[in-house]
Amino acid sequence: MDERKKSIDDLLSDLGVLEEAPVEVELKETGKEVRSKGPKEALEEFLVGLLLRLDPAHHVEIRQEGNLLKAEVKGGDLGRFIGKEGRTLKAVEYLAGVVLAKHFGGEYRVVLDAAGYRKRQEERIRRLAEEAALSVEMTGEPLHLPPMRPSERRIVHMLLKNHPKVTTESQGEGEERHVVVYPRDKAPPSATGSA
């Protein structure tokens, strides 16, 4: 079978995602110490294995901040790795989260970035929120923002939470869920800045 035509299950199996085996545990005789692979090492092993299959020029740097693991992919064709509208990046981040959840439960969260894409997206959402607040202040009319992912809606809610003249509310279902920015004095009682 041509390598490019492998199914996603075969690829994930090769990476150890679908295997039911627990994280390797090594017992040391001296002091009967128990040593196991930590979340940072497990994430690095998964990402390096995946990145080598995608483009050997890619490499990853991982920082752990408590229960949050921040991974930055560098080198190679990062545009291709990010994908259209960040879809590939989000999919790999999701898979990385699944790998960690498999080994450590829901204790750890992964944030994956490449070429500063996430930072630029966050800045774009911040500008959108600030422009929406200014528009609502000037017109006195509510403004519906485009549909956003939960993390993006959260940025808008947090940024405008203490704004003196506007408030926010999420509306809609599924892929159509979006933020509405209201003038504070005309907001419905449910407008509390919820994601």
Side-chain angles (χ1 to χ4, degrees):
M1 174 188 309
D2 184 10
E3 190 67 29
R4 282 187 256 157
K5 296 187 184 211
K6 279 180 104 177
S7 74
I8 189 71
D9 286 342
D10 290 341
L11 179 60
L12 291 175
S13 180
D14 290 349
L15 295 171
V17 175
L18 298 178
E19 296 171 6
E20 295 301 320
V23 176
E24 292 177 25
V25 174
E26 178 185 311
L27 294 176
K28 288 188 175 180
E29 283 302 314
T30 54
K32 298 194 178 182
E33 239 176 271
V34 176
R35 186 175 152 257
S36 64
K37 190 185 312 178
K40 184 177 177 183
E41 293 79 18
L43 177 62
E44 184 173 30
E45 184 177 302
F46 167 73
L47 289 175
V48 167
L50 178 65
L51 293 172
L52 284 173
R53 286 169 174 80
L54 296 174
D55 182 346
H58 291 319
H59 63 279
V60 66
E61 293 178 6
I62 301 173
R63 289 186 337 267
Q64 185 170 354
E65 299 171 2
N67 291 354
L68 178 65
L69 292 149
K70 293 183 176 183
E72 175 82 22
V73 177
K74 299 180 176 190
D77 182 1
L78 292 175
R80 186 168 164 232
F81 179 77
I82 293 167
K84 185 176 180 181
E85 297 176 3
R87 288 187 187 132
T88 306
L89 180 67
K90 292 172 199 166
V92 173
E93 179 180 86
Y94 174 78
L95 289 174
V98 168
V99 168
L100 285 184
K102 178 182 164 233
H103 295 303
F104 303 99
E107 189 177 341
Y108 297 96
R109 208 174 109 237
V110 177
V111 174
L112 183 62
D113 199 0
Y117 175 80
R118 285 285 170 93
K119 187 173 177 113
R120 288 191 308 277
Q121 286 300 100
E122 186 176 315
E123 190 54 42
R124 181 186 64 81
I125 297 295
R126 287 179 182 281
R127 279 194 312 274
L128 178 66
E130 290 166 357
E131 290 169 6
L134 184 59
S135 175
V136 169
E137 255 186 88
M138 293 173 68
T139 66
E141 296 297 318
L143 180 64
H144 292 255
L145 299 180
M148 296 178 190
R149 295 187 344 263
S151 60
E152 295 170 336
R153 292 193 309 270
R154 194 174 311 113
I155 291 169
V156 175
H157 291 307
M158 295 306 290
L159 185 66
L160 299 180
K161 181 179 180 179
N162 296 320
H163 194 285
K165 300 199 177 184
V166 302
T167 189
T168 59
E169 175 183 53
S170 287
Q171 293 182 354
E173 297 296 322
E175 297 289 318
E176 295 302 312
R177 195 147 173 86
H178 63 281
V179 175
V180 181
V181 182
Y182 290 97
R184 200 168 278 279
D185 59 348
K186 294 181 184 176
S190 61
T192 59
S194 59

